[in-house]
Amino acid sequence: MQQPNPMLSPGPEGAGNGGGTVSPTHGVRLKPIGKREGDEPYVPHFFAGRSILRTLEDIWAAFYIFWKHTFTIESMLVVSASVASTLFYLYFKKDEQGEPYLASKLDFSTLSIAIVFPLTFSIQQAFTRRENALSALADFKAILCNVHLALITWDFTPGCAVRSPPTKWSGRQYLPQDFEVECHQMASAMLRELCEYLRAPVVTRARHMVLKSYKAKAKVGWDNEKVAGERIEYLLESSFNLVEVMKERGLPGNEAARINQYNMFLHQRFEKLRNFKWYRTPQATRSFGRVYILILPWFYGPYFAYVSSETNSTFAVMLSCLTSIVLIGLINVQRSLEDPFTEEGIDSIRVKYDLKTTQRFIDAQLVRAKLKQRPRVAYEPTLDN
């Protein structure tokens, strides 16, 4: 005897309040979900101890992320250029009063035009690409689950090509013995190949276009992309072939066309993911930003010499370094979003985790389909077939 669902209980007649929600279609009352183990209570008061602790933890995490994105080898080069340029303009030549001769109060509009605006535009563009890539990956996973589910569960009446009295909803009995397993292997292989494809090393950076040694590595990367893409194309073709096997056993043409439409959507999403992987934001814009960050400290050195005359040399050098660190941090944020699949940055797509989750879904689909599977019948086509 089937046990009742503990989450459902019949509601009293005429019950309009208390305890749960009455379903308008099944006449059952949903029991409220209790507190789960591990849930933390909400603390609304600002001065509560837990709230202060969480605030400090968030600040510490923010400093860690700041450190990770700013203190790199490239940032050390930029800071060195800032310190050298500021000291050069401070001590190169002084007037009769001992003030820096080249000190000048400059305008920072050139800095915003040459670096800040292109960088913020590139970050916005890279983040938009990452969101679109997330959407395409989610569509791919959902469509693949639906294609897999249709292949292993959709039943149909045996067609005239089967030499057997037509029995309603028993067409799957005439499919090959391991048909569901073959469908599952196809879907699993597609997830595995897509994971390797999206997590492949990046070969579209500036050095891969300019340096001879990296050009060879880029060629190898593009060759590997071609082979991996062909493997995924073959698996997509296999999905169409599995539909043809079902059609041969009697799957109606309209239902076969629906599954093939899903296959077409699946192929479409893969092409979108391919574009997101191998085509990036404008390379020239990124190169201009990196070059300007390295050379602009030498043009803005007079301004920091002026700041030194108003305050002191230590503060001027620190302000120059801070300005360069902020700019190099923007460069590193934009770079971490360039390829959303490499998992180099904290905002990258967790491809391996997401596809493993989808793998668990299709594994569960196969288990449930096996529980409902009917015994197979030998396929004997008619003479007309």
Side-chain angles (χ1 to χ4, degrees), residues 41-51 54:
Y42 173 67
V43 184
H45 199 276
F46 177 78
F47 294 101
R50 292 290 296 174
S51 178
R54 290 173 186 169

Side-chain angles (χ1 to χ4, degrees), residues 132-149:
N132 293 334
L134 267 175
S135 178
L137 183 60
D139 289 346
F140 185 93
K141 295 187 297 179
I143 296 170
L144 180 62
C145 286
N146 280 272
V147 170
H148 179 260
L149 189 62

Side-chain angles (χ1 to χ4, degrees), residues 283-314:
Q283 180 65 56
T285 303
R286 289 180 278 129
S287 299
F288 288 168
R290 301 180 92 165
V291 171
Y292 288 152
I293 287 178
L294 287 171
I295 65 176
L296 275 181
W298 296 98
F299 290 91
Y300 277 94
Y303 172 78
F304 296 109
Y306 166 78
V307 172
S308 174
S309 64
E310 297 293 323
T311 56
N312 56 68
S313 58
T314 302

Side-chain angles (χ1 to χ4, degrees), residues 5-24 26-32:
N5 190 337
M7 290 302 300
L8 302 175
S9 62
E13 295 183 4
N17 51 17
T21 303
V22 177
S23 170
H26 301 287
V28 296
R29 180 180 300 276
L30 294 177
K31 289 185 177 180

Side-chain angles (χ1 to χ4, degrees), residues 110-123:
T110 305
L111 182 67
S112 61
I113 295 174
I115 300 180
V116 177
F117 174 73
L119 278 181
T120 53
F121 174 76
S122 296
I123 291 174

Side-chain angles (χ1 to χ4, degrees), residues 34-101:
K35 181 178 179 297
R36 295 177 300 179
E37 184 179 356
D39 286 352
E40 297 183 3
Y42 173 67
V43 184
H45 199 276
F46 177 78
F47 294 101
R50 292 290 296 174
S51 178
I52 296 176
L53 178 60
R54 290 173 186 169
T55 302
L56 295 177
E57 291 171 346
D58 290 340
I59 293 175
W60 170 256
F63 271 103
Y64 172 77
I65 295 173
F66 173 80
W67 174 275
K68 185 177 180 180
H69 281 85
T70 54
F71 292 93
T72 60
I73 295 178
E74 191 171 6
S75 65
M76 297 305 162
L77 294 175
V78 175
V79 168
S80 300
S82 300
V83 173
S85 63
T86 303
L87 295 178
F88 173 79
Y89 287 107
L90 276 175
Y91 300 107
F92 174 69
K93 189 175 181 180
K94 296 187 177 182
D95 56 15
E96 296 177 354
Q97 287 77 25
E99 298 295 332
Y101 185 75

